[in-house]
Amino acid sequence: MKNLPDKKRLLINFSMCKNWEEKYLYIIDLGYLLPTFPEKMRIDQYLVPGCQSQVWIVVLIEIIQYKRVVRFYGDSDALIVKGLIALIFIIYKDKDLQEIVNLDIREILKFLELDKYLTSFRIQGINSILNAIHNQITVLNNGNEIKF
């Protein structure tokens, strides 16, 4: 995720897009910035149900300098979905598990006007990705429910 822009840059770049076509192309470009998805993670356990495309999402916790850091990995066989995954990861970047769960990402997606232009199938896919992330966070939290 080192190559992905931060949330502020994402919002600036989106605001500079003149129309939906430019936003669409920008989202696709974001997908190219995702790190290579490890082949060993391309398993059914990480396959997201409810998506038109094949989508894999992995949430891991790494300990870096005594701090728990959330790491995201994702991939899809559809370019626009790969870009949407990158967009979600940008919004969640540098947040802890509880912050991720508490953040209403749907409001940000609405602010970006994605709900106006994406098909209902893509919106359903985004919801499935968000559910997969939240489910994995619950598992990472040792099965203890985090307040959604």
Side-chain angles (χ1 to χ4, degrees), residues 46-58:
Y46 300 124
L47 194 59
V48 177
C51 292
Q52 268 186 314
S53 313
Q54 287 193 305
V55 178
W56 294 267
I57 297 292
V58 180

Side-chain angles (χ1 to χ4, degrees), residues 56-75:
W56 294 267
I57 297 292
V58 180
V59 182
L60 299 174
I61 298 289
E62 295 178 7
I63 307 297
I64 300 176
Q65 297 178 342
Y66 305 104
K67 183 179 176 190
R68 291 175 69 177
V69 178
V70 183
R71 295 279 187 230
F72 296 96
Y73 299 90
D75 197 19

